[in-house]
Amino acid sequence: VVVATSPQGGPAYVVDLREDSPLLGKVLLGDKIIAIDDDDVQQLSSTEVSKLIARKSRNPQRKLTILREEDQEEAPSSDEAKDALVAESAFLDTNSEHTVTIIAPKGKLGVVVQNRGGGSPFVSDIREGSVLEGQIQLNDRILSVDDQDVRELKAFHISKILASKNQNSARKIVVSRGTIV
């Protein structure tokens, strides 16, 4: 499950489901996650919710409590239906797409970047003590580094670019948050 939060705040909501997810067909894009194992998570950031879900992944069962809009469509039953739902999702409307500019300090950042499918590289892990904790979020899509467009690069190359600039006093990282690019 990939989650994001609105810039206006509120609970984390589902923006993507991996094809191998056991929740496919049970959770819909746009569902708001309000509790995990009966613990209220409405005030947590998407990073904190993602980390909590990951920590509990070893449990034989996890209980997600979701809030779903009444008029929300049924869960997609095929890839075509899923693609159609993604295209219609209000969370993917260009009005909700927003970029965030992060100024990273000198040194190691403590983030892991990956590629998923043919999409843009995204932040897959934020290490404890990362200098970007609270600024960057899990699933942020990396768009540019120091004004260099990196959307078409592999995660490995982006990591190399960031590492090669780790002695610079600052690095400008632009990400897309809460959307699927």
Side-chain angles (χ1 to χ4, degrees):
V1 174
V2 179
V3 297
T5 50
S6 168
Q8 293 80 28
Y13 60 89
V14 178
V15 294
D16 194 15
L17 285 167
R18 297 197 172 107
E19 290 182 20
D20 61 345
S21 173
L23 297 177
L24 196 60
K26 298 175 184 171
V27 173
L28 301 179
L29 298 178
D31 281 350
K32 295 175 183 169
I33 301 174
I34 59 171
I36 300 173
D37 291 336
D38 296 322
D39 292 327
D40 186 346
V41 297
Q42 294 180 75
Q43 301 303 314
L44 299 182
S45 70
S46 59
T47 301
E48 294 166 321
V49 171
S50 294
K51 283 185 175 184
L52 184 58
I53 291 171
R55 265 198 317 270
K56 293 180 175 267
S57 67
R58 292 178 186 88
N59 296 357
Q61 290 185 336
R62 289 166 284 172
K63 177 182 173 185
L64 294 182
T65 305
I66 59 169
L67 180 62
R68 180 174 295 154
E69 299 297 323
E70 275 187 42
D71 60 348
Q72 200 165 329
E73 295 182 26
E74 292 289 321
S77 59
S78 67
D79 288 340
E80 293 83 17
K82 181 181 174 192
D83 292 343
L85 183 58
V86 169
E88 293 171 14
S89 172
F91 295 108
L92 299 179
D93 186 317
T94 55
N95 294 330
S96 69
E97 182 176 334
H98 64 284
T99 58
V100 176
T101 300
I102 298 166
I103 304 301
K106 181 178 181 177
K108 290 186 175 188
L109 300 179
V111 297
V112 178
V113 180
Q114 286 186 326
N115 289 89
R116 180 182 320 125
S120 299
F122 70 99
V123 176
S124 63
D125 189 27
I126 302 169
R127 304 257 164 87
E128 195 169 320
S130 167
V131 294
L132 297 182
E133 206 165 35
Q135 297 180 69
I136 203 160
Q137 294 182 6
L138 288 177
N139 303 307
D140 278 354
R141 307 283 177 183
I142 300 176
L143 305 177
S144 68
V145 175
D146 289 338
D147 297 318
Q148 177 185 349
D149 186 345
V150 297
R151 288 177 286 191
E152 301 299 319
L153 297 181
K154 298 285 184 202
F156 170 80
H157 294 107
I158 294 171
S159 295
K160 287 287 189 191
I161 290 169
L162 289 168
S164 73
K165 298 174 180 260
N166 73 356
Q167 293 304 309
N168 295 2
S169 60
R171 289 162 281 178
K172 178 179 157 185
I173 303 168
V174 177
V175 300
S176 176
R177 183 166 293 157
T179 60
I180 300 173
V181 179

